[in-house]
Amino acid sequence: MSGAESFVPTPLMLSDTARARLRTLIEEEGNPALKLRVYVTGGGCSGFQYGFDFAEEVGEDDALIEFGDVAMVVDALSYQYLVGSTVDFEEGLAGTRFLVQNPNATTTCGCGASFMV
């Protein structure tokens, strides 16, 4: 991958709350190489849904977005739907979860887990 292909023109953001939670999860796993993988899949009540996972490896088509001691990984297909978004973490009635605040979404479901562009 050339430098032009890995350039992230409008980065995704990771809130302070999400950074703190990610640090905690990495410490609990005892693996500083872990990164938060954020992705979009088809489905959900609004057409697309967000997914979160841990990743140790960064693929050729992945964007790696670093925030000091923590990082996010987003595949090229998902990235187009997430440009300009902020990944946050909340604890509430719906439980504890990572979520995406996506300015590209024209419609979202009530729980915020799925969206339409």
Side-chain angles (χ1 to χ4, degrees):
M1 186 185 306
S2 72
E5 292 173 47
S6 63
F7 176 70
V8 180
T10 307
L12 278 71
M13 299 306 297
L14 190 62
S15 74
D16 291 341
T17 307
R19 289 180 201 189
R21 180 61 178 166
L22 186 51
R23 275 187 211 100
T24 300
L25 292 170
I26 290 168
E27 287 171 12
E28 287 174 0
E29 291 294 319
N31 184 352
L34 290 178
K35 298 157 190 58
L36 180 64
R37 178 172 291 282
V38 183
Y39 58 92
V40 172
T41 61
C45 49
S46 295
F48 294 101
Q49 59 189 7
Y50 303 110
F52 303 94
D53 200 358
F54 274 129
E56 284 187 83
E57 303 297 320
V58 178
E60 272 188 40
D61 69 336
D62 287 339
L64 173 65
I65 306 158
E66 297 180 301
F67 301 93
D69 59 343
V70 297
M72 266 191 307
V73 178
V74 181
D75 65 87
L77 184 62
S78 297
Y79 186 81
Q80 64 186 323
Y81 297 107
L82 296 169
V83 170
S85 296
T86 298
V87 174
D88 198 3
F89 180 80
E90 71 174 12
E91 296 182 58
L93 295 176
T96 60
R97 63 184 180 146
F98 285 100
L99 58 106
V100 176
Q101 298 168 352
N102 188 341
N104 306 308
T106 58
T107 305
T108 59
C109 67
C111 66
S114 66
F115 69 102
M116 184 181 303
V117 288

